Amino acid sequence: MFELPTDLPADLAPLSWLVGVWEGTGVLDYATADQHFTGEFRHRVSFSHDGGAYLNYSGSAWLLGEGEPTPLVAEMGYWRLSRPAAEGDAGPGLLPALTTGPARTVDDVERLRNEAGGFDIEVSLVHADGISELYLGQVRGPRIDIATDAVVRTAGAKVYTAATRMYGLVEGHLLWAWDIAALGSELASHASARLARAD
């Protein structure tokens, strides 16, 4: 049985069910005008915290087939509740907080609930292939829905313009689906996986 961590900052309570390492397999199925990509992949993701009001995230995937698995994606980033920065928050850059005060409480977080009963979130991800994404969305209980608000890519990166992701905790497994608009194609189903807690 999974126990929710008790040492998280209050801001992370709505995301606490993600904390840990998850591993499993999924399927890739995406068509462009010129190609159809399909296959099975192995996926490992980690959600951790270091005391800040955000979750650290990393994920890697490998295409399975004959022979050694082929690396697909490596990404890392941060997941947090969407709220205005306060004088008690550090940043930008290495700038310290302007004031000190009591830690944010569960009541402070409850006031952030949106009209749908969930919490608005922001997810910043950087891919090893030169793509950076800013997702906006919400967490409602054990379900997360996010969509890109911005995509930035280096001059050498492949064309990738938008994405949505859905995560859900179902019978102790982390299920996710990732739709993308890439290589000249419209937003469409791209990959999904079922992951089990590895620690």
Side-chain angles (χ1 to χ4, degrees):
M1 180 175 166
F2 172 62
E3 293 184 20
L4 293 176
T6 57
D7 59 342
L8 293 176
D11 278 6
L12 295 183
L15 297 168
S16 61
W17 55 272
L18 288 169
V19 174
V21 176
W22 302 83
E23 295 179 337
T25 58
V27 292
L28 166 68
D29 189 357
Y30 188 71
T32 68
D34 302 323
Q35 291 186 305
H36 188 192
F37 301 90
T38 61
E40 184 179 7
F41 62 91
R42 187 174 83 229
H43 198 217
R44 178 183 172 92
V45 299
S46 170
F47 292 92
S48 63
H49 69 97
D50 55 16
Y54 52 85
L55 288 181
N56 302 299
Y57 167 81
S58 65
S60 296
W62 300 264
L63 187 63
L64 302 175
E66 296 179 16
E68 290 294 312
T70 303
L72 288 174
V73 69
E75 57 184 8
M76 57 189 312
Y78 302 95
W79 295 56
R80 66 185 202 140
L81 290 189
S82 180
R83 66 171 175 82
E87 290 190 353
D89 295 320
L94 296 177
L95 300 179
L98 297 175
T99 64
T100 58
R104 289 175 48 76
T105 67
V106 172
D107 290 334
D108 294 330
V109 174
E110 277 300 313
R111 285 191 279 277
L112 296 175
R113 277 197 190 271
N114 59 32
E115 291 180 2
F119 296 91
D120 295 331
I121 63 172
E122 304 167 356
V123 178
S124 303
L125 298 180
V126 177
H127 300 233
D129 59 5
I131 292 170
S132 299
E133 302 170 288
L134 171 62
Y135 285 91
L136 302 178
Q138 75 167 337
V139 54
R140 284 187 67 188
R143 180 180 170 130
I144 294 171
D145 292 281
I146 55 177
T148 50
D149 184 59
V151 175
V152 178
R153 45 190 181 93
T154 61
K158 292 181 180 179
V159 175
Y160 178 94
T161 57
T164 63
R165 299 190 192 201
M166 185 280 298
Y167 296 79
L169 186 63
V170 179
E171 298 178 354
H173 287 84
L174 180 62
L175 277 59
W176 66 260
W178 184 4
D179 296 354
I180 63 172
L183 307 178
S185 292
E186 298 291 322
L187 187 68
S189 178
H190 155 249
S192 61
R194 180 183 183 96
L195 310 179
R197 192 174 292 281
D199 68 346

